[in-house]
């Protein structure tokens, strides 16, 4: 059923047009004598065709069309303007001003029916395309969700690849990622950014894949030469992840490269200082170190929480970005909750 | 003097796609509205408002054209155009002539509709 909006200040014309529209079938005429009342109706309703008289007292047809077109989503709806035979200039103006076609008075049924049918066919085409576009958009959303899901899965798997060769556990990766997210939220970063760091932080040590076993798995202290090799995991991780089309991989690359930088410039690999260190690197530095300190490793015991906290406090402005430390401390309740949730024996997925 | 109005039912019907039902309805509506339309023209003429006069002449032009009254419609058109330009020449006579034509058309249509 097509909704046909008809606006004419003359009763007899309204009646005639209504009768002709009804004869076409499949049409529901909606009549208005006053253009302003019709506009009001148009705010709530979307007609499939507008037939509007030119000469009306409160608002002429041209002004009606302009006001109608200005309503949201009404730019494409076909409009037929009715003018007297002698109003050629008005017809030109109407066509330029947004009318799709015109009808001349006195109305001729054959001409009227043909034009109205054409306009309604146009409208039907528009609706079909709009429905199709909506359907496709939904499909695209669905597929995008699937791809995102797969991307997340891949990231978890990449992170685990490093884990296989590393004494660090899966639970460490989960905890440090969630700590990073707590800090990001504490810094008032956008929810999407906080989510991004949660997803990207697990890849911080993925470059350890490139470190030889006798160094990576060495039980004792590393010699300065061995440590120099070990440090290269930051760049390896970056090399592995950089230039990805994925936003998460890009963030992961940045984190891999910069999470061992220190605020005072004494970190590695580039010795960046202060805010020259990308924010994600500064955030992950706090999260990673805190979790490393408070976890048990083959070569060391877990530090008590208060000692680890003291380490962060003392490292403010030296090792760590003070704002990141503050954000971490501000989220302390949540930190404890994450620590409890991801214990070394039981690993949940992110 | 204008040529007398003769109802050209065939021409009107052709425009209405041969639909007798719509034809009868149009006739009915014209007869119902004619007194109001004439009064509106008189009021517009008395008000001295050119825009109002233009609009009422426009309405009558359309009505007369609907019943294929070319002569009457031309009369209304002249008045409408003059009012639009704000240069109405002998307005009273024009209005009187137009009102007389409307009455004439109404009388013919009334007879045709059997009212």
């Amino acid at each position: 059923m097509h909704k046909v909006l008809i606006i004419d200040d003359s009763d007899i014309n309204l009646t005639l047009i209504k009768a002709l529209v009804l004869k076409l079938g499949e049409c529901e005429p909606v009549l208005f004598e006053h253009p302003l009342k019709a506009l009001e109706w148009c705010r709530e309703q979307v007609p499939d065709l507008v037939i509007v008289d030119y000469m009306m007292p409160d608002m002429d047809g041209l002004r009606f069309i302009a006001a109608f077109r200005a309503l949201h989503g009404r730019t494409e709806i076909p409009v037929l303007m009715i003018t007297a035979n002698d109003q050629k200039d008005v017809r030109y103006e109407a066509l330029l001003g947004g009318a799709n076609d015109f009808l001349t008075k006195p109305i001729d049924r054959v001409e009227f029916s043909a034009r109205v049918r054409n306009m309604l066919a146009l409208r039907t085409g528009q609706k079909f395309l709009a429905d199709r576009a909506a359907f496709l958009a939904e499909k695209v959303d669905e597929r995008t969700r699937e791809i995102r899901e797969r991307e997340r899965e891949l990231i978890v798997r990449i992170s685990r690849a490093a884990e296989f060769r590393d004494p660090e556990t899966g639970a460490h990766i989960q905890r440090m990622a969630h700590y990073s997210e707590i800090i990001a939220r504490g810094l008032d970063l956008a929810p999407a950014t906080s989510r991004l760091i949660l997803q990207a932080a697990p890849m911080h040590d993925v470059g350890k894949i490139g470190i030889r076993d006798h160094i990576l798995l060495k039980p004792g202290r590393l010699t300065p030469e061995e440590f120099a090799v070990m440090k290269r995991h930051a760049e390896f991780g970056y090399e592995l992840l950089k230039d990805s089309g994925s936003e998460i991989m890009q963030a992961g690359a940045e984190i891999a490269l910069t999470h061992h930088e220190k605020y005072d410039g004494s970190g590695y690999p580039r010795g960046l200082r202060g805010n020259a260190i990308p924010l994600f690197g500064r955030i992950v530095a706090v999260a990673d170190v805190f979790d490393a300190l408070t976890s048990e490793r083959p070569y060391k015991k877990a530090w008590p929480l208060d000692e680890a906290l003291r380490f962060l406090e003392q490292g403010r402005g030296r090792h760590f970005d003070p704002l990141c430390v503050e954000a971490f401390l501000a989220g302390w309740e949540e930190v404890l909750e994450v620590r409890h949730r991801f214990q070394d024996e039981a690993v949940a997925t992110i | 003097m204008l040529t007398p109005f003769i109802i050209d039912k065939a021409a009107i019907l052709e425009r209405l796609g041969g639909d007798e039902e719509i034809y009868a309805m149009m006739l009915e509506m014209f007869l119902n509205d004619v007194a109001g339309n004439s009064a509106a023209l008189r009021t517009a003429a008395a008000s001295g408002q050119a825009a109002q006069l233009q609009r009422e002449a426009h309405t009558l032009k359309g009505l007369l054209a609907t019943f294929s009254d070319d002569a009457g419609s031309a009369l209304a058109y002249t008045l409408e155009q003059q009012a639009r330009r704000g240069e109405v020449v002998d307005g009273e006579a024009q209005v009187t002539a137009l009102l007389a034509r409307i009455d004439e058309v109404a009388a013919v249509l009334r007879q045709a509709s059997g009212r």
Side-chain angles (χ1 to χ4, degrees):
Chain A
M1 206 61 155
H2 299 291
K3 255 186 227 163
V4 180
L5 176 63
I6 305 164
I7 310 139
D8 197 315
D9 62 318
S10 136
D11 239 10
I12 192 165
N13 281 339
L14 272 183
T15 309
L16 171 61
I17 297 169
K18 175 187 166 189
L20 294 179
V21 163
L22 284 173
K23 294 266 172 192
L24 286 175
E26 296 282 298
C27 289
E28 177 196 346
V30 182
L31 312 182
F32 284 98
E33 273 182 60
H34 300 287
L36 290 170
K37 290 250 168 64
L39 265 185
E40 224 165 86
W41 180 86
C42 288
R43 274 178 228 288
E44 305 288 329
Q45 305 275 337
V46 182
D48 295 308
L49 172 64
V50 179
I51 301 176
V52 60
D53 186 30
Y54 166 64
M55 182 80 100
M56 293 182 290
D58 312 331
M59 180 186 230
D60 71 33
L62 292 174
R63 283 176 50 221
F64 175 83
I65 293 173
F68 175 73
R69 291 287 188 224
L71 293 175
H72 178 71
R74 309 292 191 276
T75 46
E76 298 289 320
I77 291 164
V79 175
L80 276 175
M81 174 122 130
I82 305 172
T83 62
N85 232 335
D86 52 75
Q87 292 171 307
K88 197 172 176 187
D89 49 339
V90 171
R91 286 206 290 274
Y92 286 167
E93 217 181 314
L95 291 175
L96 292 174
N100 297 73
D101 205 344
F102 52 80
L103 288 162
T104 50
K105 273 191 287 194
I107 289 170
D108 181 281
R109 185 171 170 183
V110 174
E111 186 181 305
F112 178 90
S113 304
R115 294 196 190 207
V116 168
R117 273 208 195 91
N118 285 343
M119 291 296 119
L120 289 175
L122 175 68
R123 180 65 184 149
T124 304
Q126 285 174 357
K127 279 175 154 175
F128 175 76
L129 285 178
D131 285 353
R132 201 169 159 72
F135 170 78
L136 288 176
E138 200 177 299
K139 277 277 168 227
V140 168
D141 279 353
E142 199 179 297
R143 291 276 186 276
T144 307
R145 270 198 302 279
E146 283 172 21
I147 290 167
R148 288 263 151 76
E149 198 46 51
R150 229 166 283 157
E151 190 185 6
R152 278 162 48 102
E153 184 197 326
L154 271 175
I155 286 159
V156 170
R157 287 177 192 276
I158 287 173
S159 311
R160 288 190 59 198
E163 224 176 275
F164 273 115
R165 300 199 53 247
D166 189 354
E168 287 180 355
T169 66
H172 161 70
I173 284 170
Q174 303 279 27
R175 286 190 303 261
M176 61 75 64
H178 282 88
Y179 295 157
S180 300
E181 194 241 344
I182 291 167
I183 297 171
R185 276 193 281 115
L187 292 172
D188 279 334
L189 300 188
T193 311
S194 304
R195 208 160 43 240
L196 179 63
I197 200 168
L198 173 67
Q199 291 168 342
M203 294 180 284
H204 68 292
D205 268 345
V206 76
K208 285 185 177 171
I209 289 174
I211 307 298
R212 289 178 189 283
D213 282 355
H214 72 274
I215 296 174
L216 185 65
L217 305 176
K218 183 176 173 180
R221 233 185 140 72
L222 298 177
T223 66
E225 293 76 23
E226 287 167 340
F227 190 54
V229 173
M230 186 66 183
K231 280 174 172 179
R232 299 205 58 199
H233 81 275
E235 281 156 307
F236 289 163
Y238 175 72
E239 287 298 322
L240 195 62
L241 302 172
K242 72 169 184 182
D243 298 334
S244 167
S246 150
E247 195 188 13
I248 304 176
M249 293 280 181
Q250 284 171 19
E254 185 180 274
I255 290 168
L257 185 62
T258 60
H259 73 286
H260 282 294
E261 298 288 0
K262 292 184 179 172
Y263 203 68
D264 62 4
S266 66
Y268 66 87
R270 291 182 289 172
L272 298 179
R273 185 190 295 268
N275 290 351
I277 307 165
L279 180 59
F280 278 13
R282 282 179 270 147
I283 291 173
V284 170
V286 175
D288 187 32
V289 168
F290 176 81
D291 196 64
L293 294 178
T294 52
S295 303
E296 191 175 319
R297 295 287 158 85
Y299 50 87
K300 76 166 192 55
K301 287 198 158 174
W303 287 26
L305 291 179
D306 56 342
E307 270 180 51
L309 276 180
R310 207 171 311 130
F311 185 87
L312 293 188
E313 297 268 12
Q314 284 168 356
R316 251 184 228 259
R318 293 213 289 272
H319 187 154
F320 307 112
D321 178 348
L323 292 178
C324 291
V325 173
E326 251 166 61
F328 183 79
L329 298 178
W332 185 244
E333 291 299 317
E334 282 183 86
V335 167
L336 292 179
E337 194 272 320
V338 166
R339 209 175 119 77
H340 179 74
R341 181 146 58 113
F342 300 104
Q343 297 182 13
D344 279 331
E345 289 77 19
V347 182
T349 50
I350 290 180
Chain B
M1 266 307 280
L2 292 178
T3 47
F5 175 70
I6 299 163
I7 188 163
D8 186 351
K9 187 174 171 183
I12 302 167
L13 263 180
E14 193 194 332
R15 246 195 349 266
L16 299 179
D19 196 315
E20 291 269 1
E21 189 190 332
I22 296 182
Y23 173 78
M25 200 167 67
M26 300 302 295
L27 221 64
E28 185 83 356
M29 287 211 73
F30 179 90
L31 294 172
N32 281 341
D33 293 353
V34 70
N37 287 321
S38 294
L41 178 67
R42 254 182 243 113
T43 309
S47 77
Q49 301 279 326
Q52 209 178 325
L53 188 59
Q54 180 196 348
R55 202 165 60 73
E56 296 309 331
H58 174 88
T59 302
L60 290 172
K61 178 186 74 179
L63 278 177
L64 294 172
T66 304
F67 293 96
S68 295
D69 179 15
D70 296 340
S73 172
L75 210 61
Y77 173 69
T78 307
L79 182 57
E80 180 195 354
Q81 292 305 308
Q82 289 184 4
R84 188 171 68 89
R85 291 193 297 268
E87 297 166 356
V88 180
V89 182
D90 204 356
E92 218 179 297
Q94 286 196 62
V95 169
T96 308
L98 187 52
L99 288 170
R101 184 61 173 195
I102 291 280
D103 285 347
E104 183 192 344
V105 171
V108 173
L109 294 181
R110 199 168 289 124
Q111 203 175 16
S113 78
R115 284 193 1 172

